[in-house]
Amino acid sequence: MLYSEIADAYEKIEATTKRLEMTDLLVDLLKRTPKEIIDKVVYLTQGKIYPDFVKLEIGVAERLAIKALAHASGRRESEIEEDMKKSGDIGETSQKFIAQKRQLTFFQKPLTVQKVYETLDKMAHASGSGAVDTKISLLAGLLADATPKEAKYIMRAVTGNLRLGIADMTVLDALAIAYGGGKETRELVERAYNISSDLGRVAKVLAEEGIEGIKKFKVVVGEPIRPMLAERLSSPEEILEKLSGKCIAEYKYDGERIQAHKKGEEITLYSRRLEDISDQYPDAIELLRRHVLAKEAILEAECVAIDPDTGEMRPFQELMHRRRKYGIEKAMEEYPVSLFMFDALYVDGKDLTLEPYPVRRRVLKNVVREGERVKIAKSVIAGNIKELENFFLEAIEDGCEGLMCKSVNEDSVYQAGARGWLWIKYKRDYKSEMTDTVDLVVVGAFHGRGKRAGTYGALLLAAYNSENDIFETVTKCGTGFTDEDLAKLPEMMKKHVISHRHPRVHSLIEADVWFEPKVVIEVLGAEITLSPIHTCAVNSIRQGSGLAIRFPRFTGNFRIDKAAEDATTTSEIVEMYQKQLKKIAES
Ligand code: AMP
């Protein structure tokens, strides 16, 4: 298959503002792809060459990409940099410079997908002292054979700026249509993805073996399972009602979620976004080695920073010190962690994901030997409002965010990759003012004036509508940013800039700059109101109105641990709005 076919498809996908059209274009591309390489095409389309849990990235810094382009186009680096200041996009600049060069070239080999993939793969594997030169020459070699349009997408892909914003869910839709025999098979395909977290492999098995192959997917140690997520309610009455009167209420610890995969002495930790974060927590690995009794296991825990002097829990933000390549020993000393185990998904040959939660918890208790720094999440079985309320207060007092209330019913399976009502978060109450923060996706920006000229004056923020897999605007936020935040924002957002509203973003407001939905920030607002201009939960409270957050303020936290799809959902905002109304009525 020629890479130009992919580039053509990307160009069309990039031009659309309609979600369904995007899926159709993807279906078309997948159908035209030879089955043997469909996994590669799926990875490439997401700007990757492997699933997230494989610790290999193409990882080309912009500086290096510019050098490669200089080689391939015969232009000076300074000229390229100059042009990039205008275009703001290495893809566009590459397209232009390669086009100008082309007129002088007589002989070119057409690029195949295989060739592009193999070269990117070699780049990802380059290591040691000559790695930089190797990467430059490999990339320059690709560019020498690329058409201008191909150069654009190759350069965007290697620098991590593909900007197509195609969600996993869209790829699953397209796969079910192209190879599953229709939308009815979507659920099975999704389950295979949820337990393997490998979209490329799912695509390949589906294309080659059909839906029967998909049914054979199993939970395997070493392949992270997509995490189960919780819905949110803020009154114990409603929680108990949803959970048929009884639940296991657990402390909701404020740390980083980890999924630990143990195979003998070998332990790998995956983040909530399924990246291998083992290097950040050698101490957690050691703790698990000592405290997990099973030979093979997949367990989940919240990893919490603790005060080395008092042993008390510290806020999530302190774990940021662990996100580093060097000096992890020192960070480990200054910011030690404890583990609070809360689920068992697989133990010694047995897949537990389809077992009810009480069974999984029992297994967890059997395989974890508790110690000072490894504990099973503190819990009670709560059957009435008083019990739940008391335990909630205790959790807050102990420095937790609130409770996780979990279903104990027969059907309380581990819903991999899904947000559902089997787990319900119970966080602090919403008063007539919002006291709780929300995590919103940056989908657009407005140019700043005066003191803020050259940076953004405000950001357009959206909540996630998980039902339709779209992002709906809920507020415009320009407060709470330090000068430092402001200075780094355009640089940070640069790689997500797109030329028009993203098809998965619903907005009635015209932003000056649009972004693909990727970056999540934490915001505190004053209250939630009905709004004629925001699209969040439009028509769900009143016909023609959406919901908006008034007086939003950035808290200073970039939620880099969250993907756009992990942002606060529109239904959570509705819930918060209703709570607020009730409070006002009561007061
Ligand atoms: P949120 O990030 O607000 O959607 O809340 C869900 C997160 O709470 C999970 O991803 C876990 O990282 C965290 N968490 C803390 N304690 C627990 C617990 N006992 N059970 C499940 N999740 C927990």
Side-chain angles (χ1 to χ4, degrees):
M1 185 186 203
L2 292 179
Y3 185 70
S4 60
E5 284 195 58
I6 293 196
D8 288 341
Y10 288 173
E11 192 174 49
K12 287 189 199 135
I13 289 173
E14 212 188 339
T16 183
T17 51
K18 298 201 189 77
R19 169 77 208 269
L20 285 177
E21 208 172 281
M22 187 171 176
T23 312
D24 288 345
L25 289 164
L26 201 55
V27 169
D28 190 47
L29 173 66
L30 292 171
K31 277 190 173 159
R32 279 186 288 120
T33 303
K35 293 176 179 170
E36 321 80 74
I37 57 163
I38 195 166
D39 49 346
K40 300 192 165 90
V41 170
V42 166
Y43 297 134
L44 287 174
T45 301
Q46 299 204 300
K48 302 172 191 168
I49 43 174
Y50 293 105
D52 288 335
F53 61 85
V54 176
K55 244 192 350 199
L56 269 178
E57 281 173 26
I58 317 171
V60 170
E62 202 170 84
R63 282 234 46 80
L64 210 147
I66 291 173
K67 278 196 191 328
L69 181 59
H71 272 288
S73 64
R75 302 286 281 268
R76 283 197 305 275
E77 287 174 40
S78 56
E79 285 177 88
I80 297 174
E81 279 162 10
E82 203 46 45
D83 191 76
M84 274 182 63
K85 276 196 199 132
K86 278 180 256 142
S87 73
D89 170 15
I90 193 150
E92 298 227 341
T93 296
S94 305
Q95 182 169 25
K96 182 166 144 192
F97 282 55
I98 294 293
Q100 289 169 358
K101 178 215 80 165
R102 273 211 82 190
Q103 294 149 5
L104 310 171
T105 318
F106 300 103
F107 179 73
Q108 259 178 327
K109 272 186 287 177
L111 277 180
T112 60
V113 175
Q114 197 77 17
K115 170 79 183 169
V116 172
Y117 185 89
E118 274 167 14
T119 311
L120 300 189
D121 191 32
K122 277 190 202 146
M123 287 167 65
H125 278 93
S127 65
S129 56
V132 169
D133 290 338
T134 311
K135 282 188 183 180
I136 295 176
S137 76
L138 284 167
L139 185 54
L142 263 191
L143 291 176
D145 285 332
T147 64
K149 197 194 291 178
E150 290 171 337
K152 168 169 153 185
Y153 292 109
I154 289 172
M155 288 297 254
R156 281 190 183 171
V158 296
T159 51
N161 299 334
L162 198 54
R163 308 173 199 225
L164 297 176
I166 301 176
D168 298 352
M169 293 304 135
T170 315
V171 179
L172 288 173
D173 282 343
L175 280 172
I177 298 169
Y179 290 103
K183 284 213 171 100
E184 321 76 73
T185 56
R186 169 71 163 69
E187 214 170 297
L188 281 170
V189 180
E190 187 174 340
R191 163 87 187 157
Y193 173 51
N194 284 337
I195 59 174
S196 68
S197 307
D198 188 343
L199 211 47
R201 188 155 69 89
V202 169
K204 190 146 193 238
V205 170
L206 181 63
E208 288 183 338
E209 300 170 37
I211 209 72
E212 287 312 309
I214 287 296
K215 287 184 189 159
K216 288 188 215 139
F217 267 74
K218 279 215 232 38
V219 170
V220 180
V221 177
E223 287 175 17
I225 297 170
R226 299 189 63 236
M228 171 166 179
L229 303 170
E231 284 287 353
R232 166 185 199 157
L233 288 173
S234 51
S235 86
E237 294 91 328
E238 286 164 299
I239 292 175
L240 282 173
E241 199 184 299
K242 268 273 183 230
L243 297 174
S244 25
K246 193 168 134 191
C247 67
I248 295 184
E250 287 173 2
Y251 273 18
K252 183 176 187 304
Y253 299 93
D254 187 14
E256 173 158 25
R257 182 177 191 153
I258 57 170
Q259 194 177 94
H261 286 238
K262 176 177 194 287
K263 195 171 205 158
E265 285 298 287
E266 208 181 301
I267 293 178
T268 311
L269 306 181
Y270 297 102
S271 70
R272 171 186 176 131
R273 301 180 71 165
L274 307 179
E275 283 151 353
D276 183 339
I277 49 166
S278 310
D279 293 345
Q280 291 173 28
Y281 298 111
D283 45 353
I285 291 185
E286 196 43 45
L287 286 170
L288 290 164
R289 243 182 229 132
R290 276 190 270 135
H291 290 270
V292 176
L293 307 173
K295 263 210 191 84
E296 284 198 348
I298 304 177
L299 307 178
E300 281 198 315
E302 192 79 356
C303 179
V304 182
I306 49 166
D307 186 318
D309 300 322
T310 63
E312 274 175 18
M313 288 191 273
R314 310 282 306 147
F316 161 78
Q317 247 55 42
E318 297 221 337
L319 292 176
M320 288 300 131
H321 299 284
R322 293 296 191 97
R323 285 181 195 271
R324 55 171 70 196
K325 272 211 173 110
Y326 306 103
I328 198 72
E329 295 293 327
K330 187 156 174 277
M332 249 159 49
E333 243 169 67
E334 285 174 34
Y335 304 95
V337 294
S338 277
L339 295 176
F340 296 93
M341 317 293 301
F342 62 78
D343 219 319
L345 312 186
Y346 177 94
V347 169
D348 288 335
K350 191 158 175 9
D351 173 1
L352 300 166
T353 56
L354 298 176
E355 298 288 344
Y357 185 54
V359 174
R360 303 204 302 278
R361 206 165 206 282
R362 222 172 315 146
V363 177
L364 182 69
K365 275 193 170 158
N366 284 336
V367 297
V368 173
R369 186 165 47 83
E370 287 190 280
E372 199 191 328
R373 286 174 57 195
V374 180
K375 297 223 176 338
I376 308 271
K378 192 165 172 185
S379 71
V380 293
I381 296 183
N384 66 53
I385 295 169
K386 201 82 222 130
E387 279 169 343
L388 209 50
E389 257 169 4
N390 287 343
F391 196 53
F392 174 77
L393 294 176
E394 207 182 306
I396 300 286
E397 181 111 6
D398 279 346
C400 288
E401 282 185 298
L403 299 178
M404 271 293 206
C405 302
K406 302 184 176 178
S407 165
V408 290
N409 290 341
E410 271 305 299
D411 66 353
S412 59
V413 296
Y414 187 88
Q415 283 179 319
R419 189 185 297 280
W421 292 103
L422 296 175
W423 285 6
I424 304 176
K425 311 181 246 193
Y426 174 18
K427 301 220 265 186
R428 245 159 292 186
D429 220 342
Y430 313 110
K431 307 218 189 75
S432 68
E433 321 109 59
M434 287 170 69
T435 50
D436 206 350
T437 57
V438 282
D439 300 320
L440 301 175
V441 186
V442 185
V443 296
F446 304 88
H447 296 311
R449 293 197 205 104
K451 233 179 77 188
R452 291 200 181 173
T455 178
Y456 301 135
L459 300 178
L460 182 61
L461 302 176
Y464 179 53
N465 178 330
S466 52
E467 228 160 88
N468 301 328
D469 189 29
I470 53 171
F471 299 89
E472 299 175 341
T473 72
V474 67
T475 197
K476 243 169 93 170
C477 177
T479 324
F481 298 93
T482 61
D483 291 346
E484 207 180 306
D485 292 333
L486 283 174
K488 80 175 178 202
L489 261 176
E491 185 59 32
M492 206 180 133
M493 296 306 299
K494 199 170 92 184
K495 62 179 186 179
H496 304 299
V497 172
I498 49 179
S499 59
H500 52 71
R501 184 179 56 73
H502 192 273
R504 291 171 69 216
V505 171
H506 280 201
S507 175
L508 299 174
I509 300 171
E510 259 313 305
D512 295 333
V513 187
W514 291 107
F515 305 115
E516 68 167 324
K518 274 273 153 107
V519 175
V520 179
I521 65 172
E522 189 180 70
V523 167
L524 184 65
E527 63 171 331
I528 301 173
T529 56
L530 284 170
S531 158
I533 57 164
H534 283 288
T535 54
C536 174
V538 74
N539 298 341
S540 64
I541 305 277
R542 185 193 294 161
Q543 209 52 31
S545 288
L547 291 176
I549 294 176
R550 284 186 70 201
F551 308 125
R553 158 178 286 275
F554 174 50
T555 63
N557 294 334
F558 289 98
R559 294 300 308 252
I560 50 177
D561 60 319
K562 289 204 166 182
E565 291 78 11
D566 296 325
T568 298
T569 60
T570 50
S571 57
E572 285 174 329
I573 305 259
V574 169
E575 165 71 19
M576 290 164 83
Y577 177 73
Q578 282 163 340
K579 268 291 101 65
Q580 184 186 290
L581 286 187
K582 217 164 105 194
K583 286 271 162 184
I584 295 170
E586 283 166 5
S587 62

